[in-house]
Amino acid sequence: MQVPAGNLLEKINYPSDLKQLKAEELKQVCQELRQYIIDVVSVNGGHFAASLGVVELTVALQYVLNTPYDQLVWDVGHQAYGHKILTGRREKFHTNRVYKGMSGFPKRSESEYDTFGVGHSSTSVSAALGMAVASQYKGETDRQHVAVIGDGAMTAGIAFEALNHAGIENSNILVILNDNNMSIDPNVGALKEYLTDIAISKPYNRFRDDIAHVLAKISAIGPDAYKIAQKLEKSIKGTLLKKSNFFEALKFRYFGPIDGHDVEHLVKVLRDLRDIPGPKLLHCITVKGKGYALAEKDQTKWHAPGLFDKITGEIKKTKQDKPQPPKYQDVFGHTIIELAEQNPKIMGITPAMPSGSSLNLMMKAMPNRAFDVGIAEQHAVTFSAGLATQGLIPFCNIYSSFMQRAYDQVIHDVAIQKLNVVFCLDRAGIAGADGPTHHGAYDLAYMRCIPNMTVSAPMNEEELRNLMFTAQQDNMGPFVIRYPRGNGVMVDWQRPLKAIKVGKGRKICDGDDVAILTIGHIGNEVVKATTELNAEGYYPAHFDLRFVKPLDETLLHDVFKKFSKIITVEDGCLNGGMGSAVLEFMADNNYNAQVVRLGIPDTVIEHGEQPELWAECGYDAKGIAAQVKLLGIQQNKHIIAS
């Protein structure tokens, strides 16, 4: 749905239009831009609070920089809605995150103003540094390179690595630290405390502006005086803060902290910094959700609230006339507490996603046994491995696509040492509107090739609970449980816990002519398809493997002996996934059958709702049923389901 823009905003299609305005008009532009984001997101959904917090910074950057020639890199992208609106996409903004519509993140193929594709955090400094070094090499000395990174994203190792490198390159790069003390949940760790100390240091903030004025005059005298001024500046900063400045230790010029919501002052500062060579860091203090009181008050809730009434703040939820199945993440959150109450060895770990994974429930109930380690997936895995060496059983909960960032640690620190770390991979399979950066397409493939690893996926909530119960038993070793974003299928899910034999699948229903093999939640689409097919006289058999490693070889021998036509269905990549494992089994055991594999093809799947994307990939209930019919199986052979 199109939403009207304000008087100034409606005239701004590109940054060149913004530059025609007077500096004193920018405050009104910010008000209109903020209101436009509120108006559109309230009726269309999407990320919310992060972009509200950088409205002034966005306007100031586009006003001062010569984008897209000047390279502006946004970290994560949650904060880039204003950037998109000001760079030629206001008319399409209502399609944000909608199937076949605009991406919710900066995307190079979408606009020349999107200099780097993002979705995962903490990549901006590395990318901007690469661009800066390239410009230096090509002789483009007038080109600016700016990375806007949230303070939560600073906790990732790649951000530290990039800062360490940037300090010695002397390239023209400006890192803007958007310090709102939040990622999705409140930030954690020593860096957060350090930034807070800077922000609230009254002596430093009181003298900062006067000192800067004096130093500027001294620096103008000559090169020697400039060097003396720099040393004096660092000494004063260190004295007033009672500690050396972390960023200046990495050879960055540090500026700030400044008010990230004073657009006119931001413009002045950015113009000044544009003329200072070398690596620089501007520390901006902002409020996530700025301008929408409810979002300022509860920033986690309003990170991505869905549809809401912008006047009352009521978040709109579909009202159901009967109980609904829970989200898989909530089943995990409640079950880990239940298990931990029985087993004192169990610990919970997540990298900055306590509410997204529902580990926040355990953090509240058992604060000494659940840890948010910040945006640091590599550390989360090796920290878990360290706990496991001491006889504890860590449940390391990481989104499937985020786990990709810690793959070496999974192999080197967990699998080789056969440590009992339980990897709970949330958002496995098609993740929905967040798109390709968040789809958990590859975990079945990249985990099943690792020695000593058990790889499983529940078809429903009861199976998730039982797999969690199984994984914490003695001598289980590295254990993967992957499950999707969204709701399960069982209302009555809190059933007694019981162990599942590792590598044991199950028969969902018997049938003739064709066997359908599934793993995980997507098996419920086969149940729907089977019901429809039965009504038309088709009776395929359905088997839930539950484990892709180890495979249930007894079950597979039975299947290949009986069926010459087999369909595999998985909510994961076809290359190297469950279907590939079945083909390998067939080849290794000299069977000969017609096998059709359904899953995520070897291409990038864009954003959209999960059912839309399952249909696009051909493995929703309709697509599965069509594939059964294409195999030309016989009709009217009625087999009683078992």
Side-chain angles (χ1 to χ4, degrees), residues 87-157:
T87 55
R89 287 166 281 181
R90 189 184 74 249
E91 295 296 321
K92 296 190 295 184
F93 188 59
H94 68 284
T95 71
N96 183 48
R97 293 166 53 89
V98 175
Y99 186 56
K100 302 295 185 181
M102 211 173 76
S103 170
F105 300 99
K107 186 176 182 180
R108 281 171 56 83
S109 61
E110 187 176 285
S111 170
E112 63 180 337
Y113 290 90
D114 291 357
T115 60
F116 201 73
V118 293
H120 295 189
S121 77
S122 315
T123 58
S124 59
V125 182
S126 295
L129 177 60
M131 295 170 185
V133 169
S135 294
Q136 193 173 43
Y137 174 74
K138 294 188 291 183
E140 298 167 346
T141 56
D142 61 333
R143 204 169 196 182
Q144 303 294 314
H145 310 86
V146 181
V148 184
I149 183 170
D151 53 341
M154 277 288 195
T155 63

Side-chain angles (χ1 to χ4, degrees), residues 352-398:
M353 299 302 296
S355 61
S357 68
S358 294
L359 191 68
N360 57 344
L361 302 175
M362 185 181 185
M363 292 174 70
K364 182 178 180 180
M366 303 175 175
N368 64 327
R369 294 173 63 182
F371 302 88
D372 175 3
V373 301
I375 301 176
E377 291 86 0
Q378 292 173 289
H379 166 62
V381 172
T382 304
F383 173 63
S384 298
L387 290 171
T389 65
Q390 302 306 301
L392 300 179
I393 305 173
F395 278 70
C396 184
N397 191 304
I398 302 181

Side-chain angles (χ1 to χ4, degrees), residues 569-596:
V569 184
E570 58 197 301
D571 189 15
C573 64
L574 288 174
N575 290 353
M578 182 269 284
S580 292
V582 171
L583 288 177
E584 291 164 15
F585 173 87
M586 182 177 76
D588 291 343
N589 291 277
N590 297 312
Y591 287 112
N592 185 18
Q594 182 182 359
V595 178
V596 176

Side-chain angles (χ1 to χ4, degrees), residues 495-508:
R495 300 179 180 181
L497 295 162
K498 59 183 179 182
I500 295 174
K501 184 178 180 181
V502 172
K504 182 67 174 176
R506 60 182 183 143
K507 180 167 62 176
I508 304 299

Side-chain angles (χ1 to χ4, degrees), residues 245-464:
N245 186 286
F246 170 76
F247 301 107
E248 298 203 346
L250 294 173
K251 301 188 182 300
F252 271 74
R253 292 286 306 280
Y254 172 85
F255 300 90
I258 67 171
D259 181 359
H261 297 300
D262 185 340
V263 66
E264 292 187 56
H265 183 54
L266 280 169
V267 166
K268 293 176 182 177
V269 170
L270 289 171
R271 281 175 171 164
D272 290 340
L273 293 180
R274 186 176 55 187
D275 299 325
I276 298 176
K280 307 166 288 290
L281 187 138
L282 175 62
H283 185 177
C284 295
I285 305 298
T286 64
V287 177
K288 187 172 181 178
K290 178 70 174 179
Y292 193 75
L294 292 172
E296 292 184 33
K297 184 178 180 180
D298 192 342
Q299 296 166 331
T300 298
K301 178 180 178 180
W302 288 88
H303 174 74
L307 308 185
F308 62 95
D309 186 314
K310 66 182 181 182
I311 305 300
T312 66
E314 179 187 1
I315 295 176
K316 299 176 182 178
K317 295 183 178 180
T318 303
K319 294 182 179 180
Q320 304 289 344
D321 56 4
K322 58 183 179 180
Q324 295 298 303
K327 293 180 179 179
Y328 278 100
Q329 68 179 65
D330 292 335
V331 174
F332 164 83
H334 290 290
T335 302
I336 193 172
I337 294 174
E338 188 177 341
L339 291 171
E341 288 171 344
Q342 301 171 15
N343 186 346
K345 296 179 181 180
I346 289 176
M347 312 291 274
I349 297 91
T350 187
M353 299 302 296
S355 61
S357 68
S358 294
L359 191 68
N360 57 344
L361 302 175
M362 185 181 185
M363 292 174 70
K364 182 178 180 180
M366 303 175 175
N368 64 327
R369 294 173 63 182
F371 302 88
D372 175 3
V373 301
I375 301 176
E377 291 86 0
Q378 292 173 289
H379 166 62
V381 172
T382 304
F383 173 63
S384 298
L387 290 171
T389 65
Q390 302 306 301
L392 300 179
I393 305 173
F395 278 70
C396 184
N397 191 304
I398 302 181
Y399 286 11
S400 172
S401 66
F402 296 171
M403 177 58 86
Q404 294 160 192
R405 312 182 94 187
Y407 191 56
D408 178 63
Q409 285 67 37
V410 172
I411 297 171
H412 185 275
D413 299 336
V414 179
I416 289 177
Q417 303 186 95
K418 301 181 182 179
L419 295 173
N420 188 190
V421 175
V422 184
F423 296 111
C424 293
L425 304 188
D426 200 337
R427 272 61 167 182
I430 292 294
D434 281 336
T437 58
H438 285 61
H439 295 326
Y442 311 110
D443 55 78
L444 288 175
Y446 70 63
M447 285 298 194
R448 81 174 187 90
C449 64
I450 302 175
N452 301 322
M453 187 70 71
T454 296
V455 184
S456 67
M459 190 170 153
N460 56 43
E461 299 92 319
E462 182 181 20
E463 294 272 294
L464 172 56

Side-chain angles (χ1 to χ4, degrees), residues 26-36 55-56:
L26 297 182
K27 187 173 181 180
Q28 182 180 339
V29 172
C30 293
Q31 292 172 344
E32 293 181 8
L33 179 58
R34 180 171 279 113
Q35 188 60 51
Y36 189 76
V55 163
E56 288 79 11

Side-chain angles (χ1 to χ4, degrees), residues 49-259:
S51 284
L52 293 185
V54 292
V55 163
E56 288 79 11
L57 182 57
T58 302
V59 170
L61 283 166
Q62 295 293 359
Y63 192 70
V64 172
L65 296 177
N66 179 27
T67 57
Y69 179 72
D70 289 337
Q71 302 281 279
L72 176 57
V73 183
W74 293 93
D75 212 290
V76 182
H78 295 154
Q79 53 186 342
Y81 284 5
H83 160 81
K84 291 200 170 201
I85 292 166
L86 295 177
T87 55
R89 287 166 281 181
R90 189 184 74 249
E91 295 296 321
K92 296 190 295 184
F93 188 59
H94 68 284
T95 71
N96 183 48
R97 293 166 53 89
V98 175
Y99 186 56
K100 302 295 185 181
M102 211 173 76
S103 170
F105 300 99
K107 186 176 182 180
R108 281 171 56 83
S109 61
E110 187 176 285
S111 170
E112 63 180 337
Y113 290 90
D114 291 357
T115 60
F116 201 73
V118 293
H120 295 189
S121 77
S122 315
T123 58
S124 59
V125 182
S126 295
L129 177 60
M131 295 170 185
V133 169
S135 294
Q136 193 173 43
Y137 174 74
K138 294 188 291 183
E140 298 167 346
T141 56
D142 61 333
R143 204 169 196 182
Q144 303 294 314
H145 310 86
V146 181
V148 184
I149 183 170
D151 53 341
M154 277 288 195
T155 63
I158 186 176
F160 285 100
E161 293 166 18
L163 290 170
N164 183 56
H165 181 196
I168 63 169
E169 284 298 336
N170 201 34
S171 297
N172 188 19
I173 181 173
L174 169 63
V175 176
I176 297 179
L177 177 58
N178 171 29
D179 183 359
N180 61 19
N181 204 28
M182 291 288 294
S183 47
I184 294 177
D185 292 281
N187 288 336
V188 297
L191 180 63
K192 185 262 294 191
E193 301 295 339
Y194 172 77
L195 294 174
T196 301
D197 287 347
I198 291 179
I200 65 175
S201 173
K202 292 181 180 178
Y204 174 62
N205 285 285
R206 185 168 59 248
F207 289 115
R208 181 191 60 229
D209 293 335
D210 291 340
I211 291 168
H213 182 69
V214 172
L215 292 178
K217 288 186 175 181
I218 294 174
S219 300
I221 298 172
D224 291 336
Y226 180 74
K227 292 179 181 178
I228 294 171
Q230 282 188 305
K231 291 181 180 179
L232 178 60
E233 178 189 19
K234 291 179 181 179
S235 176
I236 292 171
K237 286 178 180 178
T239 300
L240 289 176
L241 291 174
K242 294 184 172 57
K243 63 184 77 178
S244 61
N245 186 286
F246 170 76
F247 301 107
E248 298 203 346
L250 294 173
K251 301 188 182 300
F252 271 74
R253 292 286 306 280
Y254 172 85
F255 300 90
I258 67 171
D259 181 359

Side-chain angles (χ1 to χ4, degrees), residues 465-485:
R465 284 169 53 78
N466 290 338
L467 285 168
M468 290 175 67
F469 180 75
T470 302
Q472 51 91 48
Q473 296 191 95
D474 292 340
N475 303 315
M476 279 292 134
F479 203 112
V480 172
I481 307 171
R482 56 108 66 177
Y483 49 91
R485 170 183 174 270

